[in-house]
Amino acid sequence: MNDIVELSKKILDYAVAAGASYAEARFHSDSDKGVALKNGEVEAVRASYEFGIGIRVLVNGGLGFASTNMLKPENLTRVVDKAVKMARASSYLKSSRICFSEEEAYSVDWRVSEKKRLEGWSLNSKIEFLKNLDKTAISQGVNVSSRYIGYSERRTERVYANTEGALVSALVPRPSFFALITVADHSKGVIQRTLQFGGSGGMEVVESWRLEEKLGDEVKTLHKMLTESVKAPEGVMDVVVGSEVAGIISHEASGHPGEADRILGREGAQAGESYLKAEDLGRKIGSEAVNVVDDPTIPGSYGFYLFDDEGVKARRKFLIKEGRICEFLMNRETAARLGVKSNGSARASRYSVEPIVRMSNTFILPGDHSLEELLSGVAKGVYVKSFMEWNIDDKRWNQRYVGLEAYMIEDGRITRPVRNPVIEITTEKLFSSVDAVGKDLNFVAATCGKGDPMQGMPVYTGGPSLRMRNIMVRGVG
Amino acid sequence: MKMAELHEKALKMLTDRGVEEAIVTLYETEESSVRYANNEPTVAFSENISTLTIYSSIKERCFVGSFENVSEDFLEKIVDDVVTLTKNTPPTPFYAPLPRGVFNYRAGKRVESRIRQLDEQLVSHVSEAVRASREAGAERSAGILYSSHMVEKLSSSTGLSLQEEFASLTLNHRAFASPEATGQWVSCSTSLEGFNPYEAGRKAGEIAVASLNPVLIDEGTYDVYMGPLIFANMMSEVARFASGFLVQIEMSFMTGKIGQKIGSEKITIRDDPTMPGALGEKIFDDEGIPTQKTIIIEKGFLRNYLHNSRTAKLAGASSTGNAGIITPHPWNIVVEPGNVKEENMMQKLGKGLYLTNSWYQRYQNYRTGDFSTIVRDGAFYVEDGKVKHPVKGIRISDNLQRIISNIEELSDRLYPIKWWEVTTPTYVPTAIIRNVRITKAFGY
């Protein structure tokens, strides 16, 4: 640790001497171990270790980023030289200089503790754990024609330092689980479900997922949806969605469009821009029942952090408050452009990529309705509890969610299962149609993709059940 | 110790410690890139990374790993961990012995070494693309230009010692004539001569300007003329689903369909890493087997899956030289061109939609191929073979097998495509596809 801090200081000094007005160095290590079972048998054990440095510099208002995992001093100076050279070259074409918001320079070490250490969980025990889960999946009395399930644990360690005096070190262990389940029926065909669980912490996090129970339930539900569901109703009607659907809505229709780099055009060629403009704070986008936050400080969460990858202290952000756009997600560059301070939303997925504006745990805040109360107000509609297919346009306006577990609602009660109801709707229409919010807050782990080079980032999506009035539902097939 | 020696040392240490089979590969990557938005560079990157990948097996116990903490200091720990994990893993029924034999590798691959030293010149290439879009009438541009150079060195316990070099330039350029009028184009090449940022900027700019003032259309079934970007998105997905691994875990609409007609007689797709100068040209796969040309779909019939030794063994087939140790995958996807001149394709379409790009393809069911994808950038309503007006807010909501079954015409020219959405190099013509299901959002 001390060696790394000393090395960081030397690198920063060298960068300044080479012409950088600002520099930061991030030593970033990820170790990942995992095992996957294909139809109950071990496919292979795998591991990946990464350890390298990302160096970012500002030179004449141009931004350069260089990375390497060859950490000999002579190579590091070459890498700094390259970052400076590339930043300087790009500065010649700039009409305005990039600068960063002024922030407090913290010197802090933060780490996620493991109540039950993951290292104490042997490889054989993990394989046994997965085999038992697989047995659970195939012992539900239905034809599970294919299973691919896996467990992995990633340990991320970082030491971040910049020329303003910040020094932040961190350690986060993240266990995760995934499954792809295919259930078949000789006359009805096949149905599929992907599942992902993740969190930060130790074995206690894995235990909290109650995977055996959930996997068994999922398999039974898939069989029911495959064999008993009828064509979804079509037309304008009321819809109640479960936490899983509310979570993806919060992520796609509020989180992404609220990323300030998209709003300012920096992601224009890849993930796209946003329906929001810089002057849209306060804009009404939904009913007063809609409140969306992004909060990296939730203990045990998959998107947990206390300081971001620019050394800025993390905090909860209200993205939508009572139906109005409240705050954007910002790093230091976008905050400076907007004339405010960063709200600690800069994350880098590995040493070799720059920190960019990212979500952490994005969710719709719960209200006070029970599910029964939400349903009781619906004469005819659908209840969409889970989904498989979804997408949204690159301004985050036009989105589609296709239900997996879904039911008719008739006279306030859940009745028949329905097949793949489709909600295809604009963001404003969606949020404006929400008239009641459940009190059942739940989270789903996900890996959010953004950036070029692509960065996969661990996040939670989440929310309570939501009731939407008078929206279009369609069926598939 | 030089990196080149490190992977050989790792191999020796592994076999000395009881590993029966091993493949150790060293990837030395140098990459520079410039990202830009609003007509200006936003950040310039440089990457210099060495990665060691290791496959090992002992008595049918298998391990795969990737290590980016590469140095002599770490090597001892890496080897220790690999040996321990391999020994502690139960035997897997998916094990297949490493291929042995005398292999013949293609010679004569040419690599443009000048790509390696471009660095600051990338900024001037970006400037060229931005200028071209402006000249075409677009207000602003965004994109990224990569110059990549990599050397791959593979050594195995079966006596292989192989080396291959790669270099390429890839530009992904998007022009904006207004916030909702955009156009996208790419320029991808393994040679400086074949790289044309100005042309990419011009085409993206022209599409963006033609997309001004788009209107909503009714949803329904349309005949569609697909430009190279969107057709590459579709076809790279089709080829990806030929992976023996995805087929075997039922994550593919091709599962169980070898020999069956799954597409129009117009469609022939192959994986062709033997194509000289191609973006995905490759001499050997991750098991050290020579790569080959493999027909996936021939005139609509599914002929082959893509295999490594493991998936081949399970399928009772032979490797097609597409390892990935665990997951076989295509290297260089080629769709056989048709015989219609590209300039005549709109006339052949007659009435329908001309779509230039798509993005965010997601599946309801991989086994059936039910999916939807967002249409983005230029999209146009066409009548009598002529563009009538741009359209907005639409999505293709269909089935991948239905899409390839409804291909009616292919143009006679191939475009090389590689970008954020198409990560495997894909060579495609343009295509006319009948009866594509188009949907739009409620609330517009």
Side-chain angles (χ1 to χ4, degrees):
Chain A
M1 173 70 180
N2 285 340
D3 292 349
I4 284 183
V5 171
E6 280 309 306
L7 188 53
S8 298
K9 284 179 180 162
K10 282 183 185 163
I11 290 165
L12 297 178
D13 288 346
Y14 183 85
V16 170
S21 58
Y22 166 88
E24 64 186 29
R26 174 171 39 88
F27 282 93
H28 190 141
S29 140
D30 285 296
S31 70
D32 200 333
K33 289 181 182 170
V35 59
L37 303 193
K38 185 157 98 178
N39 294 327
E41 301 285 355
V42 172
E43 173 89 56
V45 170
R46 59 167 189 77
S48 73
Y49 302 154
E50 298 173 359
F51 179 45
I53 185 170
I55 297 160
R56 199 164 64 144
V57 296
L58 278 172
V59 181
N60 298 338
L63 188 61
F65 178 86
S67 61
T68 188
N69 62 346
M70 285 167 282
L71 303 176
K72 295 236 164 80
E74 63 273 19
N75 192 52
L76 288 176
T77 53
R78 261 203 307 273
V79 169
V80 174
D81 287 339
K82 198 120 184 208
V84 169
K85 185 170 79 169
M86 295 295 281
R88 184 172 284 128
S90 71
S91 74
Y92 296 140
L93 285 183
K94 294 195 71 67
S95 60
S96 61
R97 297 162 74 95
I98 292 172
C99 58
F100 290 168
S101 59
E102 285 189 18
E103 304 291 342
E104 187 170 344
Y106 288 94
S107 186
V108 65
D109 174 74
W110 66 272
R111 46 192 63 218
V112 171
S113 62
E114 299 165 74
K115 285 180 190 148
K116 294 184 182 177
R117 288 185 62 77
L118 292 166
E119 275 183 7
W121 197 16
S122 72
L123 176 61
N124 280 335
S125 303
K126 286 169 193 163
I127 291 170
E128 204 50 39
F129 170 71
L130 289 179
K131 287 205 165 198
N132 282 334
L133 289 177
D134 189 77
K135 278 184 197 147
T136 302
I138 59 174
S139 52
Q140 303 299 321
V142 303
N143 179 11
V144 186
S145 61
S146 175
R147 298 91 62 200
Y148 195 72
I149 65 174
Y151 168 80
S152 71
E153 53 199 38
R154 189 174 186 88
R155 183 172 295 267
T156 301
E157 292 182 73
R158 272 165 295 189
V159 176
Y160 169 90
N162 67 24
T163 47
E164 295 164 353
L167 178 63
V168 179
S169 57
L171 186 153
V172 187
R174 283 195 183 88
S176 64
F177 170 83
F178 74 89
L180 171 72
I181 307 288
T182 305
V183 169
D185 178 84
H186 66 282
S187 63
K188 299 284 188 176
V190 296
I191 189 168
Q192 293 188 314
R193 169 81 154 143
T194 49
L195 291 168
Q196 187 177 357
F197 292 81
S200 56
M203 273 279 288
E204 70 283 359
V205 174
V206 181
E207 288 165 1
S208 74
W209 297 334
R210 297 183 288 117
L211 287 175
E212 203 165 328
E213 177 190 331
K214 283 188 183 156
L215 215 53
D217 288 348
E218 286 289 349
V219 166
K220 282 185 279 194
T221 299
L222 286 172
H223 179 71
K224 179 170 68 180
M225 300 315 299
L226 178 65
T227 57
E228 298 175 22
S229 63
V230 297
K231 192 171 186 307
E234 302 208 352
V236 173
M237 65 191 76
D238 296 344
V239 173
V240 175
V241 298
S243 285
E244 181 178 307
V245 182
I248 191 73
I249 289 170
S250 70
H251 181 93
E252 301 290 8
S254 175
H256 273 308
E259 292 163 344
D261 54 347
R262 300 178 67 118
I263 292 167
L264 297 169
R266 198 180 191 267
E267 285 286 320
Q270 293 85 21
E273 299 189 336
S274 174
Y275 64 83
L276 294 172
K277 298 181 182 63
E279 58 271 24
D280 275 345
L281 291 177
R283 172 178 165 184
K284 187 164 167 51
I285 196 69
S287 75
E288 289 188 0
V290 177
N291 293 282
V292 184
V293 299
D294 181 88
D295 190 349
T297 67
I298 298 170
S301 61
Y302 204 34
F304 181 83
Y305 60 90
L306 293 179
F307 288 82
D308 77 356
D309 286 328
E310 293 182 326
V312 176
K313 193 171 185 183
R315 65 169 171 84
R316 173 178 281 205
K317 287 85 62 179
F318 256 94
L319 305 182
I320 299 177
K321 198 169 200 175
E322 296 177 351
R324 291 183 184 277
I325 301 298
C326 185
E327 187 174 7
F328 302 139
L329 296 170
M330 291 173 292
N331 60 358
R332 294 185 64 186
E333 180 187 348
T334 55
R337 288 269 304 272
L338 297 170
V340 295
K341 285 196 176 285
S342 166
N343 50 22
S345 303
R347 302 177 75 187
S349 65
R350 63 197 298 266
Y351 70 89
S352 63
V353 292
E354 61 164 347
I356 56 174
V357 177
R358 302 307 298 254
M359 281 176 265
S360 58
N361 306 303
T362 311
F363 57 103
I364 297 175
L365 286 180
D368 54 6
H369 286 62
S370 67
L371 179 60
E372 290 69 31
E373 287 168 336
L374 292 175
L375 296 168
S376 70
V378 178
K380 183 195 169 196
V382 290
Y383 172 48
V384 185
K385 192 175 176 191
S386 66
F387 71 98
M388 265 290 278
E389 176 194 328
W390 90 102
N391 48 38
I392 186 164
D393 72 357
D394 66 332
K395 287 191 284 294
R396 306 282 153 171
W397 190 248
N398 167 1
Q399 62 224 276
R400 171 178 166 111
Y401 309 102
V402 182
L404 185 65
E405 183 180 3
Y407 305 89
M408 281 294 298
I409 307 170
E410 290 166 304
D411 297 326
R413 288 184 307 110
I414 289 172
T415 57
R416 294 164 294 166
V418 294
R419 188 166 55 248
N420 304 143
V422 179
I423 302 167
E424 199 165 343
I425 191 167
T426 63
T427 295
E428 188 167 26
K429 186 74 184 169
L430 188 159
F431 282 138
S432 300
S433 68
V434 175
D435 85 322
V437 176
K439 55 187 173 188
D440 54 334
L441 176 62
N442 291 297
F443 296 103
V444 174
T447 304
C448 172
K450 183 181 172 185
D452 191 356
M454 173 60 84
Q455 299 191 43
M457 195 60 75
V459 297
Y460 263 172
T461 69
S465 301
L466 306 175
R467 184 172 65 204
M468 294 178 263
R469 295 291 194 187
N470 298 316
I471 66 170
M472 177 66 79
V473 175
R474 280 173 296 199
V476 168
Chain B
M1 180 176 284
K2 286 182 181 172
M3 279 296 163
E5 295 161 0
L6 201 68
H7 74 295
E8 285 161 3
K9 184 174 179 186
L11 178 65
K12 183 166 186 320
M13 288 167 74
L14 287 165
T15 49
D16 285 351
R17 293 181 197 188
V19 166
E20 293 169 351
E21 293 183 311
I23 304 171
V24 182
T25 309
L26 180 69
Y27 300 89
E28 295 170 306
T29 308
E30 284 179 83
E31 189 167 86
S32 294
S33 55
V34 175
R35 273 186 69 138
Y36 55 102
N38 300 316
N39 298 334
E40 297 184 0
T42 53
V43 60
F45 298 114
S46 163
E47 179 179 296
N48 181 8
I49 290 174
S50 289
T51 307
L52 204 61
T53 65
I54 296 176
Y55 166 73
S56 62
S57 76
I58 302 171
K59 294 185 172 38
E60 305 190 2
R61 302 157 197 271
C62 301
F63 167 86
V64 287
S66 163
F67 303 94
E68 290 184 30
N69 50 352
V70 184
S71 74
E72 207 165 352
D73 302 340
F74 283 110
L75 198 58
E76 191 72 32
K77 178 176 163 37
I78 289 172
V79 169
D80 268 355
D81 282 6
V82 170
V83 172
T84 305
L85 284 167
T86 311
K87 282 182 176 165
N88 288 339
T89 303
T92 171
F94 307 114
Y95 165 81
L98 284 185
R100 290 173 184 270
V102 179
F103 300 121
N104 293 316
Y105 298 96
R106 286 186 316 284
K109 181 180 178 183
R110 299 180 66 180
V111 175
E112 173 66 90
S113 55
R114 287 177 298 167
I115 286 176
R116 201 172 174 175
Q117 284 105 30
L118 288 179
D119 289 350
E120 301 110 306
Q121 283 168 261
L122 297 179
V123 176
S124 59
H125 287 312
V126 163
S127 178
E128 219 179 324
V130 168
R131 178 167 58 86
S133 282
R134 276 181 151 166
E135 286 173 6
E139 287 176 352
R140 58 193 175 92
S141 299
I144 187 163
L145 169 57
Y146 285 101
S147 73
S148 309
H149 179 268
M150 187 174 77
V151 177
E152 176 182 357
K153 295 165 182 167
L154 179 150
S155 294
S156 76
S157 56
T158 53
L160 296 178
S161 180
L162 305 168
Q163 178 165 328
E164 188 171 0
E165 190 179 356
F166 311 84
S168 65
L169 282 164
T170 53
L171 171 71
N172 167 31
H173 183 90
R174 196 175 193 206
F176 294 72
S178 79
E180 58 181 9
T182 57
Q184 189 146 348
W185 208 262
V186 297
S187 180
C188 316
S189 178
T190 55
S191 71
L192 286 172
E193 288 70 30
F195 179 62
N196 195 337
Y198 185 88
E199 184 67 358
R202 184 183 66 79
K203 286 197 168 174
E206 287 174 357
I207 294 169
V209 170
S211 303
L212 280 166
N213 306 312
V215 299
L216 295 168
I217 55 169
D218 291 337
E219 54 185 26
T221 301
Y222 289 82
D223 295 340
V224 168
Y225 174 43
M226 290 191 182
L229 278 173
I230 179 171
F231 196 51
N233 288 356
M234 298 284 163
M235 295 303 102
S236 65
E237 283 290 281
V238 170
R240 184 175 72 86
F241 281 126
S243 164
F245 175 84
L246 296 179
V247 165
Q248 288 165 5
I249 63 167
E250 297 194 45
M251 210 169 163
S252 168
F253 74 94
M254 294 182 184
T255 300
K257 292 180 182 169
I258 282 285
Q260 293 181 22
K261 192 162 188 298
I262 63 166
S264 142
E265 63 189 22
K266 298 275 183 177
I267 185 76
T268 294
I269 305 178
R270 64 180 192 271
D271 178 42
D272 191 359
T274 70
M275 194 170 151
L279 293 161
E281 185 182 7
K282 193 82 173 65
I283 304 294
F284 55 88
D285 75 358
D286 291 2
E287 294 178 324
I289 292 183
T291 60
Q292 63 181 54
K293 193 188 295 186
T294 302
I295 303 281
I296 299 169
I297 298 172
E298 185 180 33
K299 295 181 176 172
F301 286 88
L302 179 60
R303 294 298 184 206
N304 291 292
Y305 299 133
L306 303 176
H307 284 302
N308 58 17
S309 293
R310 291 181 145 221
T311 60
K313 181 187 155 201
L314 203 61
S318 300
S319 169
T320 53
N322 288 94
I325 298 292
I326 302 294
T327 310
H329 55 80
W331 302 108
N332 192 63
I333 300 159
V334 181
V335 176
E336 198 71 34
N339 50 21
V340 180
K341 292 269 176 228
E342 194 177 307
E343 54 269 31
N344 296 334
M345 289 292 275
M346 290 277 267
Q347 201 57 48
K348 287 265 183 191
L349 173 73
K351 181 178 172 183
L353 297 173
Y354 164 42
L355 307 179
T356 67
N357 201 9
S358 67
W359 174 74
Y360 217 143
Q361 188 149 322
R362 291 292 182 276
Y363 294 82
Q364 182 68 16
N365 189 324
Y366 300 99
R367 185 74 167 77
T368 61
D370 293 336
F371 77 99
S372 68
T373 187
I374 299 283
V375 171
R376 84 177 216 183
D377 305 313
F380 307 94
Y381 180 69
V382 176
E383 267 183 16
D384 301 324
K386 293 188 176 60
V387 166
K388 290 291 172 191
H389 56 78
V391 303
K392 67 175 180 180
I394 59 172
R395 176 183 268 109
I396 296 174
S397 305
D398 212 304
N399 173 283
L400 209 47
Q401 187 169 330
R402 237 179 67 83
I403 293 283
I404 56 174
S405 297
N406 289 346
I407 293 174
E408 187 172 278
E409 293 291 357
L410 297 169
S411 70
D412 60 353
R413 177 187 168 183
L414 289 183
Y415 290 87
I417 306 292
K418 182 170 187 275
W419 72 290
W420 204 57
E421 195 74 352
V422 180
T423 51
T424 303
T426 302
Y427 288 74
V428 287
T430 60
I432 292 170
I433 301 168
R434 298 292 175 196
N435 300 318
V436 177
R437 293 170 182 152
I438 301 290
T439 57
K440 69 173 182 181
F442 176 60
Y444 267 115

